[in-house]
Amino acid sequence: MTAGEGLLPVADRAQVRRAVLRLVRADGRAFTGALLLNALAAGAGLVGPWLVGRIVDDVRGGQGAGAVDRLAPWILVCALAQLLLARWARLVGYRFGERTLARVREEYVERVLALPASVVERAGTGDLTARGTADVATIGTTLRDIGPELLVCIVQALFVLVAVFALDPLLGAFGLLGLTPIWVALRWYLRRARDGYLAEGAATSQVAEIVASTAAGARTVEAFGLRERRVAASRDALEQSRRTRFYTLFLRTVFFPAVEVTYTVPVVGVLLLGGWLHQRGAVGVGAVVAAALYLRQFTEPLDQILMRVEQLQSSSASFARVEGLAQAPRQDGTRPARDAHEDTTRPARARAKVTGTPARTPRAEAAAGSLVPAGNRIDVRGVRYAYEHGGEVLRGVDLTVRPGERLAVVGPSGAGKTTLSRLLAGIDRPGTGTVTVGGVPVAELEPELLRREVVLVTQEHHVFLGTVRDNLLIAEPEATDADLWAALAAVGADDWVRDLPDGLDTRLGAGGRSTDGSQTQQLALARVVLADPHTLILDEATALLDPTTARHTERALAAVLEGRTVIAIAHRLHTAHDADRVAVMENGRLTELGTHEDLVTADGAYAALWRTWQGDSDPRTTA
């Protein structure tokens, strides 16, 4: 496995070979059938040149036109049989290719969904996008078109070589010797092509990443005057992409002319050697003609093979990038199982939860061998954390969050609040120190168990293609319509959903009804209500709501999640006013911790923030 810094892994040659064998075994009958049909088609194609040689010998022996009339129909029959068998073989090959491509796509989606958020963020969406679009499309072309064609050509080429050796071993050896320049050119090309195409794929990912990030942050780019810097970065990425593409083009411009020139060498060599052997009575004219025709016939499948080999290098690099996701870290620290997304422990939890009564499945039902928290208390001890290419963001944070507590984390931008929330949710692991829930490191919990323990809700939400019901059932597939309406009411979204043309069955997203930022966030919060975690982390989760709606939503959530732990990361200090305790973050450190009243009375950093928020010179007058 190889990978650049911050990039997703790329499978090595051995891993690619194992993956290909696994895919072939998954549909072994179709693959075997395609091989047999190709062998029969190749065998039928060998009969024609042999019959031509027989005709030449018979005519030279004095049989005249009778030999032609007797053998010519068989040439036609064999050509027709080869055509039908080859078409049948291609049909079987295409079906094999489509089924295999479906497996590749399914595996890709499963692996992407199993990636931790931290891995995706460091790799960048451009890399994932390029692998899921350009690379998967290249693999699809190979499986659908190149693979079947290559299979046919390889079988034909092998059968032709065997036929030449069967006619005369010396002619066969000489013809094979004439192919040596092709072998040399192929070796030269293969030693360089894979690395060249991998570099080209990485450069394409970088271009996609820069374009995607620039488009997503267009307003930020404009606001901070970063246009020239982003243009320069785009030009650098495009220049790198151009250089990698020109390199692979250079390889092709050397390889293919060398091959084309070499095609005539075996045919000319066999004719010259055959003529010399015929003069000495060592071989008949018919055998020489048949051998020359075989080698001429060999040119077409060989040409296709070499062209497909060039395409296979690109496809192999794409497959290495797609298969490389199997080596990426997973949410549970292991490779994903096919049923990793299944959860059979959650039915009936949503109905109890939306009425405010905890009905949690016992943790003893967690997967065998997994770590199971002994309680809901969250402890942060001596935590330090630094992002790549940056300084420390957290510097020795100690914090205990008691079960059922509402804790507000406040502080200026860049203080480390969001980083702390990511550690609490198990998205990132601390560099030093521990973050535990019930005595178990949060980041080591299996994904399904983690989602029942802690859920992080940020201001970045997504509406999935489908109906309102589809968007909610993601959190709890067994939820009834009554559960869904209760969850929507809990976050104040039931009124606008009822006003939709088809209610819960209204389609959202492209081709359906669009939602604004506040509605999108309300749907995300409704999913949280259905998910029923014991600890909920809100990182500016209501940032896109107007202050009145945001406060209503937060209080509605507080009522529904009564008895749960709620950690709110916010700049709106009314959230801190309503919390049981307030934690103040400054420069990566926890500097103050206590109730709103105690911190205001202490007249420290929090009091200054509260004074600024209220616009009052004496913070104690508005406490």
Side-chain angles (χ1 to χ4, degrees):
M1 177 184 70
T2 59
E5 184 174 333
L7 297 179
L8 294 168
V10 174
D12 59 29
R13 287 182 171 87
Q15 291 164 343
V16 169
R17 285 195 295 270
R18 287 195 294 270
V20 170
L21 290 175
R22 185 189 73 244
L23 292 172
V24 168
R25 286 195 297 268
D27 199 0
R29 292 183 60 182
F31 185 79
T32 303
L35 275 179
L36 291 175
L37 289 171
N38 282 320
L40 293 173
L46 295 177
V47 178
W50 179 77
L51 290 175
V52 171
R54 283 286 307 276
I55 290 174
V56 171
D57 286 339
D58 290 347
V59 171
R60 284 175 58 83
Q63 296 187 28
V68 178
D69 295 337
R70 185 177 69 254
L71 298 177
W74 288 107
I75 297 177
L76 181 61
V77 170
C78 290
L80 181 61
Q82 182 186 22
L83 175 64
L84 295 176
L85 288 169
R87 288 181 64 85
W88 190 5
R90 283 182 172 85
L91 176 61
V92 174
Y94 291 149
R95 288 177 174 173
F96 167 79
E98 289 294 344
R99 287 193 292 265
T100 304
L101 177 59
R103 291 188 180 92
V104 171
R105 285 173 171 160
E106 290 169 359
E107 288 181 356
Y108 180 80
V109 172
E110 290 177 357
R111 290 166 177 173
V112 168
L113 293 177
L115 291 174
S118 57
V119 173
V120 175
E121 290 173 359
R122 288 185 178 89
T125 55
D127 195 10
L128 277 175
T129 301
R131 295 187 190 216
T133 54
D135 289 329
V136 171
T138 300
I139 295 171
T141 301
T142 299
L143 292 171
R144 186 171 47 247
D145 302 320
I146 299 174
E149 293 288 343
L150 186 62
L151 199 60
V152 171
C153 294
I154 288 175
V155 174
Q156 287 179 346
L158 291 175
F159 274 52
V160 167
L161 283 178
V162 171
V164 175
F165 274 93
L167 283 173
D168 187 277
L170 188 57
L171 291 178
F174 198 80
L176 192 60
L177 183 64
L179 298 174
T180 302
I182 293 180
W183 173 251
V184 173
L186 183 62
R187 289 280 296 173
W188 177 88
Y189 174 77
L190 292 179
R191 281 198 299 268
R192 295 163 175 80
R194 186 177 188 274
D195 291 340
Y197 281 111
L198 284 175
E200 183 178 325
T204 301
S205 293
Q206 183 63 19
V207 171
E209 171 64 23
I210 288 179
V211 171
S213 60
T214 302
R219 293 184 178 179
T220 302
V221 171
E222 182 179 359
F224 287 92
L226 301 176
R227 179 178 176 274
E228 294 301 325
R229 186 180 301 178
R230 298 306 296 176
V231 169
S234 300
R235 285 176 176 168
D236 290 342
L238 288 170
E239 174 61 22
Q240 180 63 23
S241 178
R242 184 192 68 82
R243 286 198 297 266
T244 58
R245 288 176 182 271
F246 268 61
Y247 178 71
T248 56
L249 177 61
F250 160 73
L251 297 179
R252 294 192 293 273
T253 56
V254 173
F255 175 61
F256 282 116
V259 168
E260 293 293 338
V261 171
T262 308
Y263 280 151
T264 59
V265 174
V267 178
V268 173
V270 164
L271 287 175
L272 292 174
L273 178 63
W276 182 76
L277 292 175
H278 175 67
Q279 287 181 345
R280 284 155 180 76
V283 68
V285 174
V288 176
V289 172
L293 289 175
Y294 278 140
L295 289 174
R296 188 66 187 90
Q297 183 177 317
F298 179 73
T299 300
E300 181 178 353
L302 180 61
D303 188 50
Q304 291 296 318
I305 289 171
L306 294 175
M307 287 185 62
R308 301 311 185 190
V309 164
E310 185 275 327
Q311 293 170 324
L312 279 178
Q313 295 308 300
S314 174
S315 179
S316 176
S318 294
F319 192 44
R321 285 162 51 77
V322 172
E323 185 63 23
L325 290 183
Q327 314 303 320
R330 293 306 188 245
Q331 291 179 2
D332 56 1
T334 63
R335 293 187 181 186
R338 281 193 171 275
D339 59 350
H341 61 283
E342 296 176 0
D343 185 359
T344 59
T345 65
R346 296 181 55 179
R349 293 171 58 246
R351 289 187 290 277
K353 183 221 32 65
V354 293
T355 60
T357 304
R360 191 169 308 281
T361 302
R363 290 190 180 88
E365 297 181 15
S370 63
L371 297 172
V372 180
N376 298 337
R377 193 180 76 176
I378 296 176
D379 292 298
V380 180
R381 292 289 176 265
V383 166
R384 292 180 175 270
Y385 185 83
Y387 290 103
E388 293 181 6
H389 310 298
E392 271 194 328
V393 182
L394 298 179
R395 300 175 175 85
V397 175
D398 291 288
L399 175 67
T400 295
V401 184
R402 298 184 291 264
E405 180 180 25
R406 285 185 58 88
L407 175 71
V409 182
V410 302
S413 297
K417 303 185 301 298
T418 295
T419 301
L420 178 61
S421 72
R422 291 169 61 86
L423 297 181
L424 291 170
I427 295 176
D428 290 321
R429 297 172 181 266
T432 59
T434 60
V435 179
T436 62
V437 55
V440 176
V442 177
E444 294 182 12
L445 292 175
E446 293 191 0
E448 290 304 319
L449 183 56
L450 175 61
R451 283 193 287 270
R452 294 197 295 274
E453 299 291 331
V454 182
V455 168
L456 170 65
V457 183
T458 70
Q459 59 183 301
E460 298 177 359
H461 303 308
H462 182 68
V463 173
F464 299 92
L465 293 178
T467 63
V468 176
R469 179 182 284 103
D470 295 334
N471 271 266
L472 297 177
L473 290 178
I474 292 172
E476 178 48 81
E478 300 297 325
T480 65
D481 282 4
D483 300 328
L484 303 184
W485 283 116
L488 290 170
V491 298
D494 54 328
D495 289 339
W496 68 263
V497 173
R498 291 185 191 278
D499 291 337
L500 296 176
D502 299 312
L504 292 174
D505 294 317
T506 303
R507 289 189 60 82
L508 302 178
R513 187 190 184 282
S514 60
T515 55
D516 58 30
S518 64
Q519 292 170 340
T520 300
Q521 283 189 313
Q522 286 177 324
L523 287 175
L525 293 174
R527 286 195 289 265
V528 172
V529 171
L530 290 166
D532 186 25
H534 76 64
T535 297
L536 177 63
I537 303 173
L538 302 175
D539 185 3
E540 298 293 342
T542 57
L544 296 182
L545 305 179
D546 61 82
T548 302
T549 304
R551 189 157 191 175
H552 170 72
T553 300
E554 290 169 357
R555 286 180 171 171
L557 273 173
V560 172
L561 297 178
E562 185 176 357
R564 271 65 169 178
T565 305
V566 179
I567 303 173
I569 314 292
H571 288 295
R572 290 171 174 164
L573 293 191
H574 62 72
T575 302
H577 181 276
D578 295 339
D580 298 326
R581 287 193 301 163
V582 180
V584 181
M585 296 288 299
E586 293 182 285
N587 196 28
R589 292 183 173 87
L590 184 62
T591 57
E592 291 184 311
L593 180 64
T595 66
H596 167 80
E597 290 77 9
D598 290 343
L599 295 183
V600 168
T601 302
D603 199 19
Y606 178 77
L609 289 173
W610 181 255
R611 183 185 303 117
T612 303
W613 174 260
Q614 292 293 322
D616 195 307
S617 59
D618 186 356
R620 287 165 290 190
T621 63
T622 56

